[in-house]
Amino acid sequence: MTEHTLLAVLAHPDDETFGIGGTLALYASKGVAIHLVCTTNGDAGDMPAGLLEGFKSIAERRQHELHCAAEALGLAGVHLLGYRDSGMAGTPDNLHPGALINAPLDEVTRKIAHLIRQLQPQVVITHDPIGGYKHPDHITTHQAATAAFFAASDPQFVDELPPFAPQKLFFHSISKTYLRLSVQLMRIIGRDPRKYGRNHDIDLLSLTEINFPTHAAINYRSVTKVRDHASACHISQGGATQSLNRKLMKWLSPKETFMQAYPTPQEGKISTDLFENIP
Ligand SMILES: [Zn+2]
């Protein structure tokens, strides 16, 4: 077996843990070299003022947390593209000239394609087409990573490194079980599931109406403690305390779910291994 490498291309410091931390920890525990491309510095995530002590900015604090989580998960490398966090849709951060959503898409694509040629992953993971919960940076990262996946193997794409073709591309989608459970719990405690999250800016109901297929479900029960340690690193984003729905999911169904974008998957089959059929 050749050494396996997995590349995750995600938008913010914490997406590697809150989104797919179980999957990354599981494959790291199997000896897969896991690399993370994080497209933004997480500048728009708010946090209690006390947590900024000793740091120059929110971005610096969040990068510190990212490196803590990367070590906990066992990542082989973290590659920051350095764009500014664009914030949720409709917020003033959208207008900042350094925001990821204002960068030329082909510039972001080039940077990711270069890293794919350099790191030579067999498997690439990124956000799904709606960015999980419609965060503009997740959507832009999805678009750039998808274009980069194909550009990396294209001889027409000029780069100092030779072409390299990764074998599989997956989009991470929020687990449907998690979405349904969260909607039910919010209703039980009398809260509006259209106003989910710390900033009440996530419409969970609209997400349950989107029906992306699941082609792979990764059970991370064996590494839940590792995921918890990584989560605790993201103190400024509430990672040290776990919500009831997260706790229930960990017990009921510790799975992260993916759509397979390339190659075209066999319909109706749910794989339990992202490296299936990769020697
Ligand atoms: Zn994010």
Side-chain angles (χ1 to χ4, degrees):
M1 191 181 88
T2 52
E3 195 189 302
H4 282 167
T5 299
L6 184 156
L7 177 66
V9 186
L10 303 170
H12 305 112
D14 75 12
D15 293 329
E16 83 297 332
T17 298
F18 298 155
I20 57 171
T23 301
L24 298 188
L26 181 73
Y27 282 103
S29 77
K30 293 176 182 223
V32 175
I34 315 274
H35 286 267
L36 170 71
V37 170
C38 184
T39 54
T40 80
N41 294 329
D43 322 60
D46 55 4
M47 64 180 69
L51 287 175
L52 278 174
E53 219 166 287
F55 296 94
K56 289 197 201 88
S57 62
I58 287 173
E60 195 180 285
R61 164 92 215 182
R62 293 195 67 191
Q63 284 173 49
H64 170 78
E65 294 179 353
L66 171 61
H67 288 290
C68 168
E71 196 176 327
L73 294 171
L75 305 194
V78 174
H79 312 266
L80 290 156
L81 297 194
Y83 292 101
R84 195 176 191 280
D85 188 333
S86 313
M88 281 297 267
T91 61
D93 289 300
N94 296 172
L95 304 173
H96 195 286
L100 175 67
I101 56 170
N102 298 325
L105 194 62
D106 65 325
E107 174 192 292
V108 188
T109 301
R110 282 187 164 278
K111 290 180 182 179
I112 300 169
H114 174 75
L115 284 163
I116 291 175
R117 287 187 173 185
Q118 182 190 325
L119 301 166
Q120 306 197 339
Q122 291 88 4
V123 170
V124 177
I125 299 174
T126 188
H127 300 284
D128 70 16
I130 57 152
Y133 55 90
K134 304 186 182 175
H135 193 298
D137 285 332
H138 292 192
I139 295 170
T140 299
T141 300
H142 159 84
Q143 291 166 346
T146 303
F149 178 89
F150 295 105
S153 63
D154 182 355
Q156 306 286 324
F157 170 73
V158 179
D159 181 76
E160 67 207 54
L161 297 173
F164 174 80
Q167 297 183 38
K168 292 190 185 187
L169 175 62
F170 289 98
F171 299 154
H172 168 247
S173 286
I174 302 174
S175 141
K176 291 182 182 62
T177 313
Y178 181 75
L179 281 175
R180 289 192 204 107
L181 182 78
S182 302
V183 167
Q184 291 303 330
L185 282 174
M186 286 197 77
R187 283 180 170 147
I188 288 167
I189 60 172
R191 284 184 48 204
D192 183 356
R194 291 194 182 275
K195 296 187 171 121
Y196 182 73
R198 293 200 316 154
N199 302 319
H200 310 294
D201 51 4
I202 299 171
D203 180 350
L204 277 188
L205 267 190
S206 76
L207 300 182
T208 60
E209 285 152 14
I210 294 163
N211 220 355
F212 287 137
T214 296
H215 299 119
I218 305 303
N219 186 322
Y220 63 88
R221 195 181 290 280
S222 64
V223 292
T224 47
K225 281 204 172 66
V226 178
R227 191 192 177 285
D228 289 350
H229 285 148
S231 187
C233 289
H234 292 290
I235 300 167
S236 74
Q237 305 305 303
T241 50
Q242 293 199 354
S243 57
L244 180 60
N245 42 355
R246 173 56 68 187
K247 283 183 189 156
L248 274 171
M249 273 298 288
K250 218 164 52 172
W251 178 66
L252 283 170
S253 176
K255 285 179 185 167
E256 286 158 359
T257 51
F258 300 86
M259 247 192 293
Q260 186 172 313
Y262 182 88
T264 305
Q266 204 184 320
E267 280 310 323
K269 178 177 177 271
I270 297 180
S271 172
T272 56
D273 179 14
L274 302 181
F275 284 85
E276 191 175 81
N277 298 327
I278 295 179

